[in-house]
């Protein structure tokens, strides 16, 4: 589930945004001033930040400087429609800009576009102590590259992208091997065993009774 942090000091607006995002299946966190926002960003993993410019504590531009090295996409939200503010926000690395008042549909569309763009451009990610790079097709654990076969790599990425969810053998097979699953197929189990061993994922990549597997992360 995608997690979005709403940084907005006006509670009514923050709650309005939250309700809208939650109705679309996003998980939300809220921060009502600049410092609380920095704490939230340090303590939780967010996929996107909606950032109001005028905030008590530290303003949105200052927080942007803080967020940038963390590579979390940001959509600025502001009442100010001045061009200079937009330019400043985008120069600082914001992904998009929303001017208050905006309607929910506009917000949701922009959120979706930014998230999609970001996921597409994201070639490297880390889960369960393992970092994969989709361009280089490398898999690194504890600073050491782990050699994986093509299917093991695809399987590993599939588990990482769906971390926390129990995945049916059928689903795994269909998505990774892109073929029809037959009940007597041991392919998935064999590959999972190999992957578990290579990445020392015993206790991390677990068997789920009568379903399949789950990567705990
Ligand atoms: Ca404000």
């Amino acid at each position: 589930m995608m997690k979005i942090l709403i940084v907005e000091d006006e509670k009514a607006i923050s709650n309005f945004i939250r309700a809208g995002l939650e109705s679309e299946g996003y998980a939300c966190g809220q921060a009502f001033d600049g410092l609380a926002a920095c704490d939230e960003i340090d303590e939780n993993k967010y996929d996107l930040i909606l950032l109001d410019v005028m905030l008590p504590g530290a303003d949105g531009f200052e927080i942007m400087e803080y967020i940038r090295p963390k590579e979390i996409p940001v959509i600025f939200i502001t009442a100010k429609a001045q061009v200079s503010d937009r330019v400043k926000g985008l120069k600082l690395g914001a992904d998009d800009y929303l001017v208050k008042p905006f309607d929910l549909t506009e917000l949701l569309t922009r959120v979706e576009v930014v998230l999609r763009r970001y996921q597409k451009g994201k070639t490297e990610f880390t889960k369960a102590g393992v970092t994969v790079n989709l361009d280089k097709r490398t898999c690194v654990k504890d600073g050491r590259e782990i050699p994986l076969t093509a299917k093991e790599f695809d399987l590993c990425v599939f588990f990482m992208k769906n971390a926390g969810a129990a995945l049916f053998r059928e689903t795994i097979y269909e998505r990774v091997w892109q073929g029809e699953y037959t009940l007597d197929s041991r392919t998935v189990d064999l590959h999972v065993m190999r992957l578990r061993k290579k990445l020392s994922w015993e206790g991390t990549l677990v068997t789920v009774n009568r379903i399949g597997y789950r990567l705990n992360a």
Side-chain angles (χ1 to χ4, degrees):
M1 190 191 275
M2 290 286 181
K3 207 169 168 196
I4 300 174
L5 177 63
I6 305 158
V7 185
E8 164 66 74
D9 57 314
E10 288 164 73
K11 283 212 167 72
I13 296 178
S14 178
N15 290 338
F16 164 76
I17 295 173
R18 179 180 190 146
L21 292 172
E22 285 181 347
S23 73
E24 289 296 306
Y26 298 108
C28 296
Q30 285 165 294
F32 302 102
D33 64 61
L35 298 176
C38 294
D39 285 344
E40 267 297 311
I41 294 158
D42 280 340
E43 285 158 22
N44 294 288
K45 266 200 176 293
Y46 284 101
D47 299 293
L48 175 71
I49 299 169
L50 299 177
L51 186 55
D52 186 21
V53 173
M54 301 296 284
L55 287 166
D59 74 23
F61 295 129
E62 289 170 311
I63 297 170
M64 188 66 220
E65 302 270 15
Y66 186 76
I67 296 168
R68 199 161 35 172
K70 297 177 187 285
E71 297 183 340
I72 307 168
V74 170
I75 297 176
F76 265 119
I77 295 176
T78 181
K80 287 191 197 170
Q82 281 100 346
V83 176
S84 63
D85 262 12
R86 294 190 195 214
V87 171
K88 187 173 180 187
L90 295 172
K91 259 193 191 153
L92 284 171
D95 293 86
D96 207 346
Y97 218 98
L98 265 172
V99 176
K100 284 190 257 189
F102 49 83
D103 66 29
L104 206 50
T105 317
E106 186 184 4
L107 170 76
L108 293 172
T109 307
R110 287 183 188 229
V111 163
E112 205 190 309
V113 167
V114 169
L115 282 175
R116 202 189 306 136
R117 190 197 304 150
Y118 189 76
Q119 293 305 113
K120 210 189 276 171
K122 202 173 167 189
T123 55
E124 193 171 287
F125 56 99
T126 303
K127 280 270 153 70
V130 167
T131 300
V132 289
N133 185 303
L134 302 178
D135 284 340
K136 295 191 244 166
R137 288 184 70 88
T138 52
C139 175
V140 174
K141 186 172 184 181
D142 301 328
R144 199 166 58 90
E145 190 177 335
I146 313 286
L148 298 180
T149 66
K151 281 298 173 221
E152 284 167 356
F153 182 82
D154 294 342
L155 185 62
C156 180
V157 170
F158 187 63
F159 277 123
M160 289 170 75
K161 281 188 172 169
N162 294 282
L167 301 168
F168 284 94
R169 279 187 184 76
E170 291 87 333
T171 312
I172 297 168
Y173 188 83
E174 282 161 17
R175 293 291 294 277
V176 175
W177 278 267
Q178 288 167 5
E180 189 77 11
Y181 182 78
T182 50
L183 280 175
D184 59 341
S185 177
R186 298 280 299 155
T187 309
V188 172
D189 303 287
L190 289 173
H191 278 78
V192 166
M193 273 190 268
R194 293 292 303 154
L195 195 61
R196 203 183 256 156
K197 195 168 172 221
K198 284 187 176 181
L199 299 176
S200 309
W201 265 355
E202 297 89 1
T204 303
L205 180 52
V206 298
T207 305
V208 183
N209 254 343
R210 286 184 291 184
I211 294 182
Y213 299 97
R214 185 184 64 238
L215 178 65
N216 293 326

